[in-house]
Amino acid sequence: MDRRKFLKIFGCGTVATASVLTGCKSKTENSAVEEYKQQVEPPVGKMTYRTNPISGDKVSLLGYGMMRLPSKTENKDDYDQDMINRQVDYAIEHGVNYFDTSPVYCQGKSEGCTGIALSRHKRSEYFVATKLSNFHPSTQSREASIQMYRNSMKELQVDYIDYYLLHSVGGGTEEFNRRYIDNGILDFLMKEREAGRIRNLGFSFHGYKSVFDEILAMNDKYHWDFVQIELNYLDWDFANEINSRNVDASYLYNELQKYHIPAVIMEPLLGGRLANLPQYLATELKTRNPERSVASWAFRYAGTPQGVLTVLSGMTYMEHLKDNLLSYCPLQPLTKAEQQYLEHDVAERIVGLENIPCNDCKYCMPCPYGVDIPAIFIHYNKCKNEGLLPHDRGDKEYQEQRRAYLIGQDRKVPKLRQADHCIGCGQCEPHCPQNIHIPRELRKISDFVEALRQDTLTRPQETEAK
Ligand code: SF4
Ligand code: SF4
């Protein structure tokens, strides 16, 4: 593996690369190198399974999220079908049997790539989940929604869907009614379930607590077979504190338990944020368990509650897949003390960092003006977490940090896609499940970067993008 790919895989490309260019090799890079060298092959036949209490499906605790597929080149929609096939084969060989996609993932190409990879296996070897992603008004009529549903079957090359979700509900009752009730589509999906073409019907949730309560209370009528929620050790108690629109995972999970509805977990790593912790936190976790990756703590956390059916992970590279398999082949449940350590000691310190809470879901993309929103936020957060964010041109380390920030940004985000190309049209903002004020944050970062370029950054001008 070449160095460029290695850095990409371990998500330390921005800061680490820049710091190498400035003659300073970061600790993050060193620990990632060690982690890669030490990676062992996951065992076959050891996957932990959970039984869906409603359908009886025996589902692998690791679910494959097909939303961050590998591409052949830096061009992100140039998807590498051979590699996708290989990774899907490897996952199935190691016991993974749940694959989650959507018509909108990977610029609309995920379902097709998933269908090609899975259709090479016996239909009984896998469960496939996809979604009614009728976000755009042009897809919300009954006819357009039914067409989206039928097209999913065609792309996936299946004549039934195992797990079908109303995609990302939670924005409001009005929106829910418009997308699913007024057009009669939920009644249609119920009939499809009765006919066996949908085996399990549920919804994925991001948004307001009142909407979650309301939709869950519809269980009497719709009999939700599963619900997909965001759960990780940061969101367990702090989701609402970080963003008042979000609901703590502890509440969501416990409500589902009351209804005996199994939980499918998304964002166990919060878009990679819990794998790329600040160095002092990563070191602390590695000291507690030197054999395992930092990410494995988050996977063990998400997989420990018994009401969890499967934990989705968007695994772009084989190394991600192997590392996640190690966490669940078999699962070593966390002890109560370990759970509390993550939920309190670790989570509280992460909250204190005040990052932009972007989890790289890409729901805000594409920006009509070409801005790569998540890449900009991720670079900013990484520099901040590593303590490499320049603050004042009078600081001793300022010039080195300034150079590292700008070089790292140019490597990760092409110039035409950087924050200064945001015109503030606001089209992206309603799509963000984290409720980030995207144009405002981009403007702050743009001002910050401009001050770095002009070499005029001083502490009173310091721009905290939060
Ligand atoms: S507000 Fe900025 S980033 Fe968002 S869609 Fe408009 S130009 Fe793109
Ligand atoms: S800004 Fe929001 S929508 Fe865009 S990638 Fe980040 S979390 Fe997702």
Side-chain angles (χ1 to χ4, degrees):
M1 183 189 301
D2 64 30
R3 173 182 171 71
R4 188 183 172 85
K5 185 154 181 222
F6 170 79
L7 291 172
K8 203 163 85 173
I9 287 169
F10 282 97
C12 55
T14 46
V15 176
T17 305
S19 51
V20 167
L21 284 169
T22 54
C24 153
K25 195 169 183 180
S26 81
K27 285 181 191 160
T28 302
E29 185 185 4
N30 282 332
S31 56
V33 170
E34 283 312 308
E35 216 154 77
Y36 172 60
K37 279 188 195 158
Q38 288 165 11
Q39 192 172 51
V40 293
E41 289 291 315
V44 173
K46 297 285 183 194
M47 173 62 71
T48 296
Y49 290 90
R50 294 273 165 77
T51 302
N52 182 332
I54 298 171
S55 66
D57 290 344
K58 198 178 151 207
V59 178
S60 57
L61 191 53
L62 180 61
Y64 209 134
M66 309 297 282
M67 77 289 278
R68 296 189 182 104
L69 298 175
S71 49
K72 284 186 201 156
T73 63
E74 292 294 311
N75 177 6
K76 289 184 179 165
D77 64 1
D78 181 14
Y79 295 105
D80 186 344
Q81 188 67 53
D82 289 343
M83 183 54 75
I84 296 165
N85 292 350
R86 270 210 293 286
Q87 290 180 189
V88 164
D89 294 350
Y90 190 89
I92 289 178
E93 185 190 328
H94 287 78
V96 174
N97 66 6
Y98 191 100
F99 296 82
D100 173 85
T101 179
S102 149
V104 295
Y105 289 167
C106 302
Q107 286 86 38
K109 294 187 178 169
S110 172
E111 283 188 329
C113 293
T114 303
I116 292 170
L118 287 177
S119 62
R120 297 152 51 257
H121 293 268
K122 281 194 215 140
R123 185 67 182 88
S124 57
E125 282 182 352
Y126 61 87
F127 301 116
V128 69
T130 192
K131 310 182 180 77
L132 186 55
S133 310
N134 59 352
F135 300 112
H136 195 271
S138 67
T139 60
Q140 289 171 1
S141 69
R142 180 183 169 85
E143 296 69 30
S145 291
I146 290 175
Q147 192 184 349
M148 183 180 279
Y149 161 71
R150 297 219 161 106
N151 195 55
S152 290
M153 286 208 195
K154 191 169 140 216
E155 293 286 343
L156 290 165
Q157 305 184 37
V158 295
D159 50 14
Y160 64 90
I161 294 170
D162 299 283
Y163 288 78
Y164 199 65
L165 299 92
L166 312 182
H167 194 176
S168 193
V169 307
T173 312
E174 196 186 314
E175 183 193 319
F176 183 82
N177 288 341
R178 190 174 62 247
R179 288 175 62 192
Y180 303 114
I181 306 294
D182 301 344
N183 57 10
I185 200 70
L186 193 45
D187 290 334
F188 166 82
L189 295 175
M190 299 261 286
K191 291 205 175 86
E192 288 297 284
R193 180 169 57 181
E194 273 166 42
R197 285 184 288 273
I198 291 173
R199 294 189 52 251
N200 297 274
L201 183 60
F203 62 88
S204 63
F205 174 81
H206 293 283
Y208 298 103
K209 181 169 168 285
S210 58
V211 183
F212 181 77
D213 291 342
E214 202 174 329
I215 298 172
L216 203 55
M218 296 175 187
N219 189 48
D220 284 348
K221 182 168 181 194
Y222 296 115
H223 306 291
W224 306 117
D225 296 306
F226 68 109
V227 173
Q228 189 165 307
I229 56 170
E230 188 168 312
L231 185 152
N232 52 65
Y233 62 79
L234 190 57
D235 283 328
W236 186 255
D237 278 333
F238 291 102
N240 185 255
E241 185 170 324
I242 293 168
N243 184 332
S244 59
R245 188 187 125 146
N246 290 343
V247 190
D248 289 346
S250 52
Y251 179 82
L252 299 175
Y253 176 78
N254 288 324
E255 286 301 296
L256 293 180
Q257 285 292 93
K258 284 184 202 161
Y259 282 84
H260 307 290
I261 296 174
V264 170
I265 302 308
M266 56 185 159
E267 299 294 354
L269 279 180
L270 258 183
R273 283 171 65 198
L274 302 183
N276 292 296
L277 296 175
Q279 187 58 44
Y280 63 96
L281 280 173
T283 303
E284 199 173 293
L285 291 174
K286 289 296 285 182
T287 306
R288 283 176 169 244
N289 189 349
E291 306 294 314
R292 302 307 314 279
S293 67
V294 170
S296 73
W297 283 90
F299 278 94
R300 286 176 62 212
Y301 182 87
T304 292
Q306 282 299 312
V308 168
L309 185 64
T310 187
V311 178
L312 301 176
S313 176
M315 299 168 279
T316 307
Y317 300 104
M318 188 63 97
E319 285 72 11
H320 296 154
L321 172 59
K322 288 184 179 179
D323 191 51
N324 294 348
L325 283 167
L326 284 168
S327 296
Y328 290 153
C329 289
L331 166 74
Q332 271 186 303
L334 291 181
T335 62
K336 270 271 168 280
E338 286 173 327
Q339 275 174 311
Q340 281 174 2
Y341 162 67
L342 292 176
E343 285 165 8
H344 300 294
D345 293 16
V346 179
E348 275 173 21
R349 280 179 284 169
I350 296 173
V351 173
L353 291 169
E354 296 192 338
N355 283 333
I356 301 166
C358 175
N359 60 16
D360 197 22
C361 69
K362 298 186 175 55
Y363 288 174
C364 55
M365 298 286 280
C367 156
Y369 297 89
V371 179
D372 192 340
I373 302 163
I376 293 163
F377 290 161
I378 287 166
H379 177 62
Y380 181 89
N381 283 343
K382 276 191 173 213
C383 290
K384 192 171 184 188
N385 291 349
E386 291 295 325
L388 295 174
L389 206 62
H391 290 286
D392 187 293
R393 65 194 304 277
D395 293 342
K396 190 157 60 69
E397 63 282 13
Y398 168 78
Q399 284 303 343
E400 188 180 339
Q401 290 177 345
R402 168 181 174 266
R403 185 172 150 80
Y405 191 96
L406 293 175
I407 292 173
Q409 177 183 258
D410 288 349
R411 283 183 162 250
K412 277 287 166 191
V413 192
K415 281 214 159 37
L416 289 173
R417 309 197 66 190
Q418 293 182 3
D420 53 343
H421 287 268
C422 170
I423 65 150
C425 71
Q427 286 187 49
C428 51
E429 198 163 304
H431 301 292
C432 178
Q434 302 301 324
N435 206 22
I436 298 168
H437 299 300
I438 297 173
R440 191 175 75 195
E441 300 299 352
L442 287 174
R443 196 166 55 247
K444 286 182 189 172
I445 291 179
S446 175
D447 291 348
F448 168 71
V449 167
E450 190 53 26
L452 289 182
R453 285 192 183 125
Q454 301 296 329
D455 200 5
T456 55
L457 190 73
T458 53
R459 211 167 289 278
Q461 288 175 289
E462 178 185 328
T463 304
E464 295 293 340
K466 174 90 171 72

